[in-house]
Amino acid sequence: MSSIIKVSSPSNIALIKYMGKKNHELNVPSNSSLSWTIDHLRTYVEVKALSNKETDRWAPLESQQDISLSESSVARYLNFWKKLKSKLGVEGNFLVSSGNNFPFGCGLASSASSFSALTLAAHELSCKQGQKPLNEHQLALLSAQGSGSSCRSLLEGWVKWSEQGVQQVSFPFDNLIHKVIVVESGEKKISSSQAHKMISSSLLNVQRQARANQRLEDLCQVLQKGDWKRAYEICWSEFWDMHALFETSEPSFGYMTALTMKALNSLRLFWQNNGDGPLITMDAGPNVHMLFREDQNKLCDDILANCLEGFSVL
Ligand code: DP6
């Protein structure tokens, strides 16, 4: 059986968070979001044709790092594959294999890279079968229906997802260096999809849309002006805002651990002492993400050696 399609797609990290949905079936976000695409952390997907008697199935891609998807995650992935096939007019049944080039469960948004890679694979297959190609903006919106954050992975660099769609934006900061402090690597108890639902019980959620949209506007403005410190402050408030939603939901839930707090405090102290540092953010998990400017190589080494010693950083 030969491979007919091979694609890959990167992960991304949001600085203004997609948290809360207007429509949970179609993943219509309550607020706009902004991310940086992490080009080197990728999901690879290979698709092989099966006979008509067989049904679509999933397998881990052997050439990549070990991946163990739960039964429900495999079902979600294959359901979206079926939806993609039907929307893109793909005929036939397939073996879909996927794998990441980064460790599974290390707190990286693997649903962003895996769902965007699946969308690309289905699209390539549909073009091969003679269907009309979609542009990357249309593809991104399609991918969002599988997992919202995946739509931002289909474009490079800074990406904004708003009511206007998914668009690339440019700021005077390029080639950012991404590092994640891996505090805990197990599978999280509350998935992002569940979190999107649960936060509707928080009183803080009432004004969340306005706060996130305001921060997005402010962040774009200060990045445009080159004000990195102010950008750090906005990103810091933003991830705390999202985690406050989690903690004030009823029932409440949370992801931060004592080690998360230790890392965050060390990083804040570094910023206070040096007047410079990385942008810091967190997803719906305990791990801490850092984005350094390309001229901050030395500062990055300094932080890893002196401020985060003992932490595992990827
Ligand atoms: C905290 O895209 O994983 O990472 O649409 O239900 O699949 P679904 O949710 P998902 O949510 C991501 C939430 C986040 C913030 C972000 O990436 O913007």
Side-chain angles (χ1 to χ4, degrees), residues 113-223:
S113 52
S114 54
F115 279 81
S116 51
L118 193 65
T119 304
L120 286 178
H123 181 246
E124 203 163 310
L125 201 52
S126 89
C127 293
K128 233 177 164 171
Q129 292 185 354
Q131 306 290 337
K132 210 168 138 235
L134 302 185
N135 65 37
E136 60 186 4
H137 300 277
Q138 293 167 318
L139 269 184
L141 289 180
L142 184 57
S143 194
Q145 295 183 28
S147 178
S149 55
S150 73
C151 69
R152 298 183 311 238
S153 282
L154 287 162
L155 283 88
E156 284 175 9
W158 297 100
V159 182
K160 188 162 137 183
W161 179 24
S162 67
E163 277 174 355
Q164 277 71 50
V166 186
Q167 34 174 167
Q168 209 171 1
V169 275
S170 69
F171 299 119
F173 299 110
D174 262 334
N175 304 317
L176 299 183
I177 305 158
H178 172 264
K179 300 273 175 203
V180 57
I181 307 169
V182 184
V183 165
E184 224 172 75
S185 61
E187 196 161 353
K188 47 191 185 191
K189 286 185 196 77
I190 308 239
S191 69
S192 323
S193 299
Q194 285 170 289
H196 284 289
K197 288 194 174 136
M198 290 172 74
I199 55 135
S200 61
S201 62
S202 163
L203 281 180
L204 295 185
N205 194 41
V206 179
Q207 294 297 325
R208 164 66 190 161
Q209 188 180 347
R211 290 196 304 276
N213 288 339
Q214 182 63 53
R215 273 198 205 101
L216 176 62
E217 206 182 305
D218 294 349
L219 182 59
C220 289
Q221 228 171 60
V222 303
L223 284 171

Side-chain angles (χ1 to χ4, degrees), residues 12-21 23-24 26-28 31-35 76 107 109-112 115 143-152 161 188 191-197 208 238 242-243 246 255 282-285:
N12 73 75
I13 180 74
L15 294 164
I16 302 297
K17 306 290 175 181
Y18 150 53
M19 183 45 58
K21 304 182 190 180
N23 177 325
H24 286 271
L26 296 171
N27 297 332
V28 180
N31 62 272
S32 307
S33 56
L34 178 78
S35 62
R76 180 180 171 194
S110 61
S111 81
F115 279 81
S143 194
Q145 295 183 28
S147 178
S149 55
S150 73
C151 69
R152 298 183 311 238
W161 179 24
K188 47 191 185 191
S191 69
S192 323
S193 299
Q194 285 170 289
H196 284 289
K197 288 194 174 136
R208 164 66 190 161
E238 169 62 7
M242 182 178 77
H243 282 259
F246 303 152
Y255 300 93
M282 292 180 66
D283 268 342

